[in-house]
């Protein structure tokens, strides 16, 4: 089924009193011995949706901390911020960015950030010296994704039902292109199948040929 046909079917579902989220389930065309690989990357959605992401930055340099705040981070700091996050005193954030030099100190946060998928990683752009650019990127709609180990699937929200068909198609296309970009070295063709659904709708198999 073509993407817009699937969206039309989703829109025909019973209307809810809230703005439903559109989710994609992408099965990668991996061999069995490749499914333990964790394939990760990020997608810059052209059309923002949902709430603004709360970004925190770990950096020892005061100028980088100031740059982070000026670029939209809700908090930026070093040892004091580490202590607050480690103790569970401060947990109100959605993205964690860190400079390479402070990463050794963040090891102690592995048990706190790891289960939430928030541990900074150079592969998804959250370990960088370009703090200002990184904060702006995630504030403007960049979202990290990674495959589920042992399954070879990527699950990610790509829009809201209140958005136009064009906006949803642009976001879905951006997601597919980003996945193909990072997973191309593992398999070709990259995507075995793609399913989309809203929070409460049925699921629809969609064409991934761009």
């Amino acid at each position: 089924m073509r993407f817009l046909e699937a969206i039309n079917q989703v829109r025909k579902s019973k209307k809810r009193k809230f703005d439903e989220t559109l989710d994609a389930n992408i099965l990668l065309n991996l061999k069995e011995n490749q499914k333990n690989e964790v394939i990760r990357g990020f997608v810059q959605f052209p059309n923002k949706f949902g709430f603004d992401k709360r970004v925190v930055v770990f950096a020892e340099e005061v100028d980088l901390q100031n740059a982070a705040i000026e670029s939209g981070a809700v908090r930026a700091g070093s040892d004091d911020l580490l202590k607050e996050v480690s103790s569970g005193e401060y947990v109100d954030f959605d993205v964690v960015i860190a400079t390479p030099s402070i990463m050794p100190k963040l090891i102690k946060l592995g048990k706190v950030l790891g289960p939430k998928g928030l541990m900074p990683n150079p592969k998804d752009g959250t370990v960088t010296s370009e703090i200002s650019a990184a904060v702006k990127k995630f504030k403007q709609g960049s979202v990290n994704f990674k495959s589920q180990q042992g399954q070879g699937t990527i699950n990610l929200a790509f829009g809201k039902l209140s958005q136009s068909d064009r906006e949803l198609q642009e976001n879905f296309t951006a997601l597919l292109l980003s996945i193909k970009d990072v997973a191309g070295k593992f398999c070709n063709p990259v995507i075995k199948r793609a399913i989309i659904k809203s929070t409460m709708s049925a699921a629809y198999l969609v064409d991934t040929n761009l």
Side-chain angles (χ1 to χ4, degrees):
M1 179 181 291
R2 292 189 178 278
F3 177 82
L4 291 179
E5 293 174 9
I7 290 297
N8 185 49
Q9 292 300 314
V10 170
R11 293 193 189 282
K12 288 180 179 179
S13 301
K14 183 178 179 180
K15 298 295 186 293
R16 309 291 172 174
K17 293 183 179 180
F18 61 94
D19 190 9
E20 294 183 54
T21 299
L22 274 296
D23 296 299
N25 175 275
I26 311 294
L27 176 63
L28 302 176
N29 192 33
L30 299 173
K31 297 178 181 177
E32 283 301 318
N33 63 352
Q34 293 177 313
K35 289 184 179 179
N36 284 327
E37 294 279 356
V38 176
I39 297 171
R40 64 175 72 229
F42 65 87
V43 52
Q44 186 77 45
F45 286 121
N47 304 293
K48 288 179 63 176
F49 61 93
F51 58 87
D52 279 340
K53 286 191 167 49
R54 299 163 297 180
V55 179
V56 299
V57 172
F58 288 97
E60 294 177 308
E61 301 84 354
V62 175
D63 60 329
L64 292 181
Q65 294 175 13
N66 291 337
I69 297 299
E70 291 173 2
S71 299
V74 293
R75 288 284 302 275
S78 180
D79 293 339
D80 289 346
L81 184 56
L82 278 163
K83 185 177 180 180
E84 288 184 47
V85 174
S86 179
S87 66
E89 180 182 347
Y90 181 61
V91 294
D92 297 327
F93 48 84
D94 309 295
V95 178
V96 179
I97 297 172
T99 60
S101 61
I102 204 172
M103 278 304 295
K105 291 186 176 181
L106 262 66
I107 292 175
K108 66 177 69 175
L109 298 182
K111 292 182 179 180
V112 177
L113 301 179
K116 299 178 181 179
L118 295 177
M119 195 67 180
N121 189 305
K123 292 182 179 179
D124 57 30
T126 50
V127 177
T128 177
S129 297
E130 302 296 327
I131 293 298
S132 181
V135 172
K136 290 177 181 177
K137 180 181 75 174
F138 285 100
K139 292 289 289 183
Q140 291 170 0
S142 182
V143 179
N144 293 330
F145 61 80
K146 67 177 181 178
S147 62
Q148 295 186 29
Q149 195 169 21
Q151 299 181 29
T153 58
I154 294 173
N155 299 296
L156 199 70
F158 65 91
K160 290 285 188 178
L161 207 52
S162 59
Q163 291 179 284
S164 69
D165 289 358
R166 177 187 59 79
E167 290 175 322
L168 293 174
Q169 187 167 39
E170 288 176 351
N171 281 3
F172 185 67
T173 298
L175 174 59
L176 294 184
L177 289 174
S178 295
I179 291 173
K180 289 180 178 181
D181 184 51
V182 297
K185 63 182 178 181
F186 294 97
C187 51
N188 186 26
V190 172
I191 297 173
K192 191 170 185 178
R193 64 121 177 92
I195 292 173
I196 66 169
K197 67 181 295 294
S198 70
T199 307
M200 304 299 291
S201 78
Y204 297 93
L205 186 68
V206 295
D207 183 10
T208 59
N209 293 321
L210 301 177

